[in-house]
Amino acid sequence: AQSVAQPEDQVNVAEGNPLTVKCTYSVSGNPYLFWYVQYPNRGLQFLLKYITGDNLVKGSYGFEAEFNKSQTSFHLKKPSALVSDSALYFCAVRDPVGGGFKTIFGAGTRLFVKA
Amino acid sequence: EAGVAQSPRYKIIEKRQSVAFWCNPISGHATLYWYQQILGQGPKLLIQFQNNGVVDDSQLPKDRFSAERLKGVDSTLKIQPAKLEDSAVYLCASSTGLQETQYFGPGTRLLVL
């Protein structure tokens, strides 16, 4: 069965420092991987996705993520954090096997960026 | 381009009452999704439509939840009767196809007392 794990409930980083939000997954086929961000009282906003191709994916707001097949990971990164990046981040995986492309979300990681 | 619209934004009901949520997807998006997001958890897929057909409803509690997308555009999600544990944010999302990026609405926050 497919699953997604975000091992950290919370990540704290100082403004200007690099940030990493971790995600590991388990699927039966080749995964479609996504990162979404959620600000208070708002819906999820799409950041980036990996389907195929270059393992390093660049997305919105300066975020990027690296697909690592051997470690089944898709960590979200940003070279220099901003206070405005403080939000809740969700990793999601879609398994194309079976045809339904059902999406499974991780539990979320709250990012705090201190000024 | 207009985003996914949902209404109402907030709803408070008592247990055993019924409630309905409405979603209008992005124009031209064939696939529509309903998710339940309980506080402190990630969204959980309840049902997924491709046009007006159901693709996946394996996690929909069918004894009390129902959803429809009669004309392949708008959708409604109903809970009847509601339980305390149904308190959550109900998110609607849409995409151009099953393999494509999902775009989410602002959600409906439901509180069952």
Side-chain angles (χ1 to χ4, degrees):
Chain A
Q2 62 187 90
S3 64
V4 178
Q6 293 182 243
E8 302 154 316
D9 291 336
Q10 184 172 308
V11 169
N12 298 310
V13 64
E15 188 174 34
N17 284 0
L19 70 87
T20 299
V21 182
K22 297 179 180 177
C23 172
T24 59
Y25 65 90
S26 174
V27 298
S28 53
N30 292 320
Y32 290 32
L33 296 159
F34 302 80
W35 276 102
Y36 287 85
V37 60
Q38 188 173 38
Y39 296 100
N41 298 316
R42 297 177 66 176
L44 278 71
Q45 295 180 35
F46 169 73
L47 280 179
L48 52 80
K49 68 180 178 184
Y50 171 85
I51 296 177
T52 187
D54 194 348
N55 289 345
L56 185 63
V57 179
K58 294 187 183 298
S60 306
Y61 313 120
F63 283 94
E64 57 188 30
E66 186 168 10
F67 170 63
N68 188 316
K69 188 173 184 178
S70 62
Q71 296 185 7
T72 62
S73 67
F74 189 57
H75 300 333
L76 182 70
K77 300 181 180 183
K78 187 173 183 181
S80 178
L82 299 173
V83 172
S84 57
D85 293 330
S86 298
L88 190 54
Y89 291 80
F90 290 97
C91 181
V93 63
R94 302 179 87 173
D95 188 349
V97 174
F101 292 91
K102 180 177 175 179
T103 304
I104 301 294
F105 281 84
T109 298
R110 189 166 297 279
L111 173 67
F112 286 101
V113 181
K114 295 189 296 183
Chain B
E1 170 179 271
V4 177
Q6 290 187 247
S7 68
R9 292 295 310 275
Y10 304 93
K11 190 74 176 179
I12 301 174
I13 62 173
E14 295 189 350
K15 60 183 179 183
R16 291 188 288 273
Q17 286 186 324
S18 61
V19 63
F21 312 128
W22 174 81
C23 173
N24 185 21
I26 294 172
S27 178
H29 280 198
T31 313
L32 185 146
Y33 315 77
W34 283 103
Y35 289 86
Q36 180 192 58
Q37 185 177 17
I38 292 173
L39 188 64
Q41 300 181 18
K44 182 181 83 172
L45 180 69
L46 293 176
I47 189 166
Q48 179 174 319
F49 293 94
Q50 178 72 3
N51 296 309
N52 61 351
V54 175
V55 174
D56 189 305
D57 62 358
S58 57
Q59 297 191 104
L60 187 73
K62 298 181 186 63
D63 58 333
R64 298 184 300 106
F65 285 64
S66 64
E68 59 183 14
R69 194 184 184 201
L70 292 176
K71 297 182 179 179
V73 181
D74 293 6
S75 177
T76 55
L77 176 69
K78 297 179 181 177
I79 307 175
Q80 183 180 6
K83 292 185 175 181
L84 297 177
E85 58 262 36
D86 297 332
S87 294
V89 176
Y90 290 85
L91 295 167
C92 180
S94 69
S95 64
T96 54
L98 286 172
Q99 304 180 50
E100 304 304 322
T101 300
Q102 297 173 48
Y103 294 92
F104 285 80
T108 296
R109 187 175 297 275
L110 173 68
L111 179 61
V112 182
L113 301 176

